[in-house]
Amino acid sequence: MSVYIEPIKIAVLVFPFLALAISAIFFIIQYRRYGRFVVSRALILYSFIFYLLCAYFLVILPLPSIEEVAKLTGPSMELTLGASVQNFLKETVLDIHRPQTYLAAMKQSVFLEPVFNVLLTLPFGIYLRYYFKKSFKQTVLLTFCLSLFFELTQLTGLYFIYPRSYRLFDVNDLLHNTLGGILGYFITPIFTFLLPTREEIDGRSYAKGTEVTYIRRGVAWGIDWLFIGFLTTLITIVLRLFTNDYTITLDNNLIVYFVQIFLYFICLPYLTNGQTLGKKIVRIRVIGDDTTRLSFKALFQRYGLLYMIYFALSRISLALVPGIQSDDYFQIVVSVLLSLMIFAIQAMFVINISWAIIRKNRRLFYEKISHTHIISTIKKRSA
């Protein structure tokens, strides 16, 4: 029994770290398709990943040493279909007429091994029917393919890491695993009648996806600046290679910053009718209040206010630091006064956002002035 429990314990320890990496992928996919991260969907998908991890660990663990495997001389394949039934009839202590033998028979490996192979893929059949909406034939085929993947993993000695297989490739396992998927398919309603249907989850996602939340806008903003940072770094590397001047840097350069804003946030959305890379990924775009094609003037007003004034003030405030630390009294006073003015302007920006969140009004001051707003491009897919 410990052979089965140990892989599950390992999966419990490893899963949170794998889930952290996988969550980023699902986060993007979720936002890309539905425009909203729905908790119920996330729990179902993560439980599916957890199940697959446990199943995979059950197949490959415990891992023997390469030296131990090299000394193995037994068969690597069992190609006799029905061998598990023959072994059961040959070795079982079960006597139908003696109930006291039932428990002992259930503890024998000739009984446990086929049962565990059926149970191994039973959840797979449930997930395929409930969430992935697969038909009976598709469930049978996919379960068989999963079982074949497991068996080939064993036959190849964990993808040729080992000199030979350290577990038996058994066609009876293929049969038992496939039966497990079929059983899972038929008992799905027993386990899922209290859960929301896939259609209900999708409907809720699409309904929420039509709303453009601050989180969604924030994700688009983060993607945009990561992309800008990547391009800036790439350009810096190219310039250093061509000039052999490795002191060149584009960071904290106000002119470079203005060029980035003008090209990426004004020219690009004008050409793409309101979308940047980040907005494209989370499926939102900027439109004019009159719903006609977005004008260059509106974009200049929108992002000029946001980036060329309010965000540029942060960079300007950094340039005032030497003045504040200066020995010149007049320079200190001027630098402090300018810093306070910048702080007051930026505080107004933060207050505006906070007030909009409190009032659940998702339109900010620079959108009102530029007569623009953001909409979702999510459209419900037909069944």
Side-chain angles (χ1 to χ4, degrees), residues 366-379:
Y366 59 89
E367 295 177 304
K368 295 178 181 177
I369 295 173
S370 62
H371 301 290
T372 60
H373 61 280
I374 293 180
I375 63 167
S376 172
T377 61
I378 298 290
K379 293 182 179 179

Side-chain angles (χ1 to χ4, degrees), residues 192-369:
T192 61
F193 72 97
L194 291 177
L195 299 175
T197 65
R198 173 66 186 270
E199 291 75 15
E200 291 173 341
I201 295 174
D202 288 349
R204 194 182 310 138
S205 299
Y206 283 123
K208 291 182 177 181
T210 58
E211 302 175 12
V212 182
T213 63
Y214 285 116
I215 294 177
R216 196 166 164 190
R217 292 172 66 166
V219 171
W221 179 85
I223 293 171
D224 284 334
W225 280 104
L226 282 173
F227 182 66
I228 290 172
F230 170 76
L231 287 180
T232 303
T233 302
L234 191 63
I235 293 171
T236 302
I237 293 172
V238 172
L239 288 174
R240 288 179 178 181
L241 291 175
F242 273 92
T243 62
N244 288 323
D245 182 0
Y246 293 92
T247 63
I248 292 177
T249 179
L250 301 180
D251 296 331
N252 298 320
N253 187 313
L254 201 57
I255 295 176
V256 172
Y257 173 75
F258 284 138
V259 171
Q260 290 172 338
I261 300 305
F262 181 74
L263 293 178
Y264 190 82
F265 289 103
I266 298 176
C267 293
L268 179 61
Y270 179 72
L271 296 174
T272 59
N273 198 22
Q275 286 191 313
T276 58
L277 176 63
K279 290 181 175 63
K280 183 73 174 178
I281 290 175
V282 301
R283 300 180 71 176
I284 58 177
R285 71 183 181 95
V286 181
I287 65 169
D289 289 349
D290 56 4
T291 68
T292 59
R293 177 172 174 79
L294 200 58
S295 68
F296 189 87
K297 177 183 176 182
L299 284 167
F300 191 85
Q301 288 177 329
R302 178 187 177 90
Y303 291 111
L305 279 171
L306 179 61
Y307 289 116
M308 292 186 176
I309 297 180
Y310 283 90
F311 282 7
L313 290 175
S314 299
R315 294 173 177 261
I316 294 173
S317 63
L318 292 175
L320 296 174
V321 173
I324 296 174
Q325 297 174 342
S326 172
D327 295 330
D328 187 335
Y329 179 76
F330 177 76
Q331 191 174 354
I332 293 173
V333 172
V334 172
S335 298
V336 169
L337 288 175
L338 288 174
S339 297
L340 289 174
M341 289 176 60
I342 291 173
F343 174 78
I345 294 172
Q346 291 180 323
M348 290 173 60
F349 177 72
V350 174
I351 291 170
N352 177 264
I353 293 177
S354 303
W355 184 244
I357 293 173
I358 293 172
R359 295 183 59 189
K360 296 183 179 180
N361 179 8
R362 296 196 173 116
R363 195 171 186 192
L364 302 176
F365 72 96
Y366 59 89
E367 295 177 304
K368 295 178 181 177
I369 295 173

Side-chain angles (χ1 to χ4, degrees), residues 100-205:
Q100 60 269 30
T101 64
Y102 292 177
L103 184 60
M106 292 174 64
K107 292 181 179 179
Q108 289 184 288
S109 62
V110 289
F111 173 81
L112 288 175
E113 185 177 339
V115 169
F116 272 114
N117 279 321
V118 171
L119 294 177
L120 181 68
T121 53
L122 186 143
F124 191 66
I126 295 175
Y127 279 109
L128 289 181
R129 180 177 178 181
Y130 165 65
Y131 183 77
F132 296 101
K133 310 302 291 182
K134 299 301 180 182
S135 67
F136 175 74
K137 290 182 179 179
Q138 289 173 322
T139 300
V140 173
L141 178 60
L142 290 172
T143 306
F144 177 81
C145 289
L146 178 66
S147 177
L148 184 61
F149 167 72
F150 288 158
E151 293 302 311
L152 290 176
T153 298
Q154 295 175 336
L155 181 63
T156 58
L158 198 57
Y159 322 116
F160 305 105
I161 293 175
Y162 290 95
R164 56 156 290 164
S165 61
Y166 61 92
R167 285 193 176 184
L168 191 67
F169 174 94
D170 194 340
V171 294
N172 296 281
D173 291 348
L174 292 173
L175 174 62
H176 299 148
N177 291 156
T178 305
L179 288 174
I182 293 172
L183 180 60
Y185 179 88
F186 283 113
I187 66 173
T188 296
I190 299 175
F191 291 93
T192 61
F193 72 97
L194 291 177
L195 299 175
T197 65
R198 173 66 186 270
E199 291 75 15
E200 291 173 341
I201 295 174
D202 288 349
R204 194 182 310 138
S205 299

Side-chain angles (χ1 to χ4, degrees), residues 46-101:
Y46 287 165
S47 66
F48 180 64
I49 294 168
F50 176 72
Y51 154 70
L52 289 178
L53 283 172
C54 289
Y56 186 70
F57 284 142
L58 282 168
V59 170
I60 68 170
L61 297 180
L63 294 175
S65 66
I66 294 179
E67 292 76 15
E68 288 178 306
V69 175
K71 295 176 182 178
L72 296 176
T73 57
S76 59
M77 292 189 290
E78 173 58 79
L79 300 178
T80 305
L81 191 63
S84 58
V85 176
Q86 295 174 9
N87 292 334
F88 177 79
L89 294 176
K90 181 180 178 180
E91 300 178 22
T92 185
V93 297
L94 177 67
D95 186 343
I96 299 292
H97 304 292
R98 297 174 60 198
Q100 60 269 30
T101 64

Side-chain angles (χ1 to χ4, degrees), residues 5-21:
I5 298 298
E6 192 63 26
I8 295 176
K9 289 182 179 178
I10 295 174
V12 171
L13 295 174
V14 173
F15 172 73
F17 301 100
L18 291 179
L20 185 63

